[in-house]
Amino acid sequence: MPQAKIYYDTDADLGVLNNKTIVFLGFGNQGSAQAQNLRDTGIPNEQILIANRVDSYAETAKAKGFNVTHDFGKAAAVADVLFILIPDQVQPRVFNEQFSPVMKSSAVIVVASGYNVFFNLLKFQPGQDVVMVAPRMIGSSVRSLYEKGRGFPCFVSVEQDGTGNGWASALALSRGIGATKAGAIASSVREETAMDLMAEQALWPNIIMMFREAFNVLKDAGCSDEALCYEMWMSKEPAEIFERAADDGFIAQLKHHSTVSQFGQLSGSLKLGGEAMREHFKDILYNQILNGKFTKEFSKIEDDLEKEGLDNPLNELYRRSEEIELVQAEKRVRARLAGLL
Ligand code: NAI
């Protein structure tokens, strides 16, 4: 099996960033965390420029002492390095129209998610470096772990090495934001996208479906809404199990459960061959994700995601999902609990 290379602080030379103008497009979850980490690593504030439209994120960046511009053309022209840290669905429009045409032909472009690069939705120039530095953490954790002097899991890759120095830049930038402290894992936009979208489109939909159906069967068997909601998720037991899985091991965490539970879980899971599920997962991976079918369909509804009410397809999916018995029961339970408080 392939073993991924892991890069540490000692593999990265921050000197590569000397005198480079580093532009952050976006100061949201990731942008604010990464820009602050980079500055605290010692990259001078005057080398960092936040490019942000006029909104509260821009105000936050100014309040934190960063240089901020609303003029994307100006930011694009001066960028030696550009971190693209705005939502994935708006990146192609903003980058392709306002950044790409005026950027330096040797600039380093950094993405924190593989999606737009893997599906060729961003237009790069051939001499540019395109690198992925993708924290596996929400932005607030990227910042708080850095502040505690700890690292965070992160994927790093070079997707286009236009200058020949792509890896040196990718590693220096990873180190700058604190990602090589605990080890940045060599990956690729293909791997990152496949894993992300598989979790979102195959694994978690099945988990949601399994909770829904287990709920229905137990409810039909006479279990109360209150007991079911607490037993299944409101007690936070599933969250604890996953925390133990991360700390002790995916299967080893079972040792914290009762003997009856351990026996039931181990024998039960081994009895389920999983062939049908494996075929279903493969179908989603190859015929929905990697072949671009999902991306094509998603791009058709992207504009509608800005709409209000049920014209927004996401709101319509929430409406339909809220009709299921599990959600209705949970609402009743939460309303009763609120009354008791
Ligand atoms: P976010 O949702 O926090 O982005 C907000 C920022 O985008 C603000 O600066 C806002 O001004 C700007 N923005 C929003 N719409 C805009 C538009 N139409 N035009 C110009 N600017 C606009 O973004 P987030 O969550 O930080 O994601 C950025 C990147 O990081 C994405 O590629 C995402 O996949 C990746 N990522 C996000 C993680 C997270 O914790 N949310 C975790 C790891 C990667």
Side-chain angles (χ1 to χ4, degrees):
M1 292 304 287
Q3 208 178 32
K5 194 165 167 45
I6 300 180
Y7 295 97
Y8 296 94
D9 282 357
T10 47
D11 296 310
D13 173 13
L14 286 172
V16 171
L17 306 178
N18 284 351
N19 304 316
K20 302 276 189 224
T21 298
I22 301 174
V23 174
F24 283 84
L25 169 57
F27 199 77
N29 294 309
Q30 288 296 326
S32 64
Q34 295 188 25
Q36 289 180 82
N37 289 3
L38 190 73
R39 185 169 64 179
D40 290 350
T41 298
I43 304 302
N45 200 36
E46 54 273 20
Q47 271 179 244
I48 302 174
L49 177 63
I50 311 296
N52 208 100
R53 64 181 184 181
V54 181
D55 63 14
S56 62
Y57 296 98
E59 292 312 311
T60 308
K62 281 180 204 162
K64 290 193 181 296
F66 284 102
N67 296 312
V68 178
T69 180
H70 306 304
D71 182 342
F72 287 179
K74 194 179 117 197
V78 297
D80 296 304
V81 175
L82 174 71
F83 280 87
I84 307 183
L85 294 173
I86 58 176
D88 293 304
Q89 70 276 15
V90 299
Q91 288 178 13
R93 199 173 60 228
V94 175
F95 177 78
N96 294 341
E97 290 172 14
Q98 300 183 67
F99 278 79
S100 186
V102 278
M103 282 194 74
K104 295 181 184 173
S105 58
S106 59
V108 182
I109 294 151
V110 191
V111 291
S113 141
Y115 189 92
N116 286 319
V117 177
F118 179 64
F119 291 114
N120 292 318
L121 299 175
L122 300 176
K123 306 280 166 259
F124 305 113
Q125 299 169 32
Q128 294 171 332
D129 293 339
V130 179
V131 309
M132 176 178 74
V133 179
R136 315 315 296 157
M137 288 265 153
I138 58 171
S140 54
S141 302
V142 166
R143 181 63 183 152
S144 64
L145 285 166
Y146 179 93
E147 285 176 313
K148 287 182 193 141
R150 289 166 53 194
F152 49 86
C154 184
F155 293 160
V156 59
S157 72
V158 173
E159 301 296 329
Q160 178 177 298
D161 194 0
T163 66
N165 293 320
W167 270 107
S169 297
L171 294 176
L173 293 163
S174 299
R175 180 171 169 187
I177 66 159
T180 44
K181 188 135 204 150
I185 300 166
S187 182
S188 66
V189 291
R190 180 183 188 274
E191 181 175 75
E192 200 266 347
T193 304
M195 293 191 306
D196 240 21
L197 297 192
M198 265 296 273
E200 294 161 6
Q201 295 177 35
L203 186 59
W204 286 101
N206 274 285
I207 290 171
I208 293 170
M209 177 273 289
M210 285 194 287
F211 269 66
R212 183 185 76 206
E213 295 310 320
F215 188 99
N216 288 340
V217 169
L218 285 165
K219 181 150 184 168
D220 287 348
C223 298
S224 73
D225 291 343
E226 287 76 7
L228 280 169
C229 288
Y230 271 100
E231 174 67 18
M232 292 179 73
W233 69 93
M234 276 170 56
S235 63
K236 301 196 176 170
E237 195 189 4
E240 276 173 18
I241 290 172
F242 273 95
E243 195 154 352
R244 294 274 186 184
D247 289 343
D248 299 353
F250 196 74
I251 293 292
Q253 58 79 22
L254 285 170
K255 299 207 170 117
H256 297 289
H257 303 232
S258 73
T259 309
V260 172
S261 167
Q262 291 177 46
F263 188 80
Q265 294 195 53
L266 291 169
S267 62
S269 59
L270 289 170
K271 242 184 272 167
L272 295 167
E275 291 82 7
M277 189 61 80
R278 188 178 296 191
E279 288 312 310
H280 165 63
F281 281 170
K282 275 194 201 165
D283 186 42
I284 292 182
L285 180 62
Y286 293 104
N287 301 325
Q288 178 171 308
I289 297 173
L290 293 178
N291 69 352
K293 183 165 177 262
F294 168 82
T295 307
K296 212 164 147 190
E297 282 168 10
F298 186 73
S299 69
K300 285 190 204 145
I301 59 141
E302 260 168 25
D303 291 342
D304 293 340
L305 294 172
E306 314 271 324
K307 291 183 180 162
E308 299 294 324
L310 295 180
D311 289 337
N312 182 324
L314 197 54
N315 292 342
E316 171 61 10
L317 289 172
Y318 271 114
R319 188 195 63 74
R320 284 173 52 203
S321 298
E322 280 177 12
E323 281 173 0
I324 68 172
E325 183 51 25
L326 178 154
V327 178
Q328 291 301 316
E330 183 185 28
K331 275 192 180 162
R332 291 192 294 269
V333 171
R334 286 189 192 276
R336 247 190 84 192
L337 288 175
L340 290 176
L341 290 175

